[in-house]
Amino acid sequence: MTMLKLKEQDLPSVRGRYTENAPLGAQGWFKCGGTADVLFKPADRDDLIEFLNGLRPDVPVQVFGALSNCIIRDGGVRGVTIRLGRDFSEIKTEEDLVHTGALALDANVAQVAAEAGIGGLEFFSGIPGTIGGALRMNAGCYGTETKDVLVECEALDRAGNVHVLTPDQMGMTYRHTDVPEDYIFLSATFRGTREEPDTVLTRMTEIKQKREESQPIREKTGGSTFANPSAEELSQSGLSPDIKVWQLIDQVGGRGLQIGGAMMSEKHCNFMINMGDATAADLEALGEEIRKRVLEKFDLALRWEIKRIGETS
Ligand SMILES: Cc1cc2nc3c(=O)[nH]c(=O)nc-3n(C[C@H](O)[C@H](O)[C@H](O)COP(=O)(O)OP(=O)(O)OC[C@H]3O[C@@H](n4cnc5c(N)ncnc54)[C@H](O)[C@@H]3O)c2cc1C
């Protein structure tokens, strides 16, 4: 069902800013895709709560962080799209704890923790998103996931009620969180271990080097396109349980495959790239072509890790 375009006059009055037809896709890592009917930047936490209290319940709400894991479809996003502001990016440390707003960049959280002598959070330096995105995706790399270091987080439901959630309550599994799709993460507390800052900073440098070598991080990309299938899924298809999704993509001729302006990276074939003039439709069609080939050859349905949001044009 196509929803009617929302206008600012349909919305509660706020202290923050509304922007109609905001170029959302262009702000993402892929640098393509449609607009948001209405973008809302709350002035602060209370403004966001009052906005949710006053918003008609039938209006869809969507929140983004750094847009490093999303394809915004060419037809754009209906309802209200929320981008949190500076009020949500504070990072504070206390003993072995790090308290952070949901808009703080993962890399900044890793850096602040390391400088304060808190180890265990350096994997965040390898993920180019925000803490809100990390909580939603249970982001992780090099053997650590967000759930491993999360103590608790705060989230707002669609009506503006605050919930404090622990990782157990959030059902965090590989690149997935069970928290309702319309919850908005506000902040999080992580626990690391006390260590010498230099030791932690050295590990961070190693992570950065590994990423430079193995991922197309200077391209217009969105990280891993598909999640690695579970050992159970692989064995049902008669495949070895330690096979990674990039190997399957490679075996169906995916490396370097192009549709329109979209290409599967030569450097890491589970990364999709906008070569310059890709549309969101090109990116999605390329992903679906890979899924079709893997299904035909291995009888295995790949799961998109990248979120595809909005309407096709
Ligand atoms: C070069 C590159 C390398 C990457 N490497 C990795 C990696 O090693 N490991 C990994 O796990 N990921 C990786 N990613 C993917 C991506 O960075 C992560 O998924 C990241 O956690 C997404 O955060 P974001 O702020 O960009 O979220 P967005 O892309 O903005 O949003 C992703 C999802 O999170 C939701 N979301 C965002 N903020 C909030 C909030 N405040 N409240 C509720 N929901 C929210 C959105 O609604 C959406 O569903 C990589 C991406 C790129 C481009």
Side-chain angles (χ1 to χ4, degrees):
M1 186 185 67
T2 305
M3 232 193 100
L4 283 177
K5 280 207 167 202
L6 199 68
K7 296 276 176 206
E8 191 172 333
Q9 59 264 29
D10 302 325
L11 300 168
S13 58
V14 288
R15 284 176 291 114
R17 206 173 63 232
Y18 291 126
T19 311
E20 283 185 27
N21 295 318
L24 191 64
Q27 293 173 20
W29 267 68
F30 276 121
K31 297 276 178 289
C32 65
T35 57
D37 284 1
V38 176
L39 188 75
F40 171 46
K41 213 168 197 185
D44 52 34
R45 177 189 170 110
D46 289 343
D47 195 31
L48 177 57
I49 292 175
E50 281 159 30
F51 161 80
L52 290 169
N53 289 160
L55 186 66
R56 281 193 345 240
D58 60 311
V59 177
V61 164
Q62 183 74 54
V63 61
F64 296 108
L67 284 165
S68 66
N69 199 52
C70 290
I71 292 174
I72 303 296
R73 291 192 174 117
D74 301 307
V77 182
R78 304 290 84 84
V80 182
T81 298
I82 298 172
R83 296 298 291 273
L84 302 177
R86 230 177 293 152
D87 205 47
F88 299 86
S89 47
E90 202 182 8
I91 308 169
K92 283 189 293 190
T93 62
E94 176 199 348
E95 307 284 331
D96 58 353
L97 297 177
V98 182
H99 306 285
T100 155
L103 192 70
L105 286 174
D106 299 352
N108 291 349
V109 173
Q111 185 72 28
V112 170
E115 286 169 7
I118 301 173
L121 272 62
E122 53 277 10
F123 74 100
F124 275 139
S125 66
I127 304 169
T130 65
I131 290 301
L135 292 167
R136 170 62 63 196
M137 301 302 302
N138 187 23
C141 59
Y142 305 117
T144 312
E145 293 179 324
T146 303
K147 76 172 170 54
D148 301 331
V149 290
L150 180 65
V151 178
E152 62 183 30
C153 69
E154 276 184 310
L156 289 178
D157 64 24
R158 175 62 178 73
N161 304 303
V162 181
H163 300 262
V164 177
L165 304 168
T166 62
D168 281 349
Q169 291 168 324
M170 292 166 70
M172 297 174 94
T173 52
Y174 169 64
R175 302 296 171 268
H176 172 83
T177 306
D178 269 343
V179 175
E181 283 294 326
D182 55 3
Y183 272 38
I184 300 172
F185 296 113
L186 297 174
S187 65
T189 298
F190 299 104
R191 175 171 277 120
T193 45
R194 297 296 311 170
E195 280 188 74
E196 277 304 311
D198 282 350
T199 315
V200 187
L201 287 164
T202 305
R203 288 205 298 271
M204 264 172 59
T205 308
E206 285 165 9
I207 287 177
K208 279 184 197 146
Q209 271 166 2
K210 270 198 222 168
R211 265 167 44 81
E212 286 272 354
E213 283 159 21
S214 62
Q215 297 179 357
I217 56 175
R218 301 199 191 289
E219 305 281 357
K220 297 171 189 146
T221 181
S224 296
T225 307
F226 302 106
N228 283 309
S230 66
E232 198 186 336
E233 286 168 319
L234 288 166
S235 76
Q236 275 167 6
S237 295
L239 293 162
S240 158
D242 49 10
I243 284 198
K244 299 290 177 209
V245 67
W246 70 263
Q247 292 168 293
L248 302 176
I249 295 171
D250 226 358
Q251 286 183 43
V252 297
R255 189 179 294 271
L257 187 69
Q258 293 181 23
I259 290 186
M263 182 175 89
M264 298 310 288
S265 165
E266 295 274 2
K267 190 169 190 178
H268 190 319
C269 63
N270 191 25
F271 277 55
M272 233 183 233
I273 290 173
N274 171 5
M275 294 188 298
D277 59 354
T279 60
D282 291 342
L283 293 165
E284 205 166 350
L286 179 58
E288 288 303 330
E289 174 62 23
I290 298 284
R291 288 186 76 235
K292 182 171 138 265
R293 291 187 185 192
V294 170
L295 187 64
E296 276 168 12
K297 182 157 180 159
F298 299 108
D299 192 26
L300 182 72
L302 293 182
R303 255 172 302 121
W304 281 89
E305 182 171 320
I306 289 178
K307 303 265 185 190
R308 290 147 304 134
I309 316 248
E311 291 178 3
T312 52
S313 56

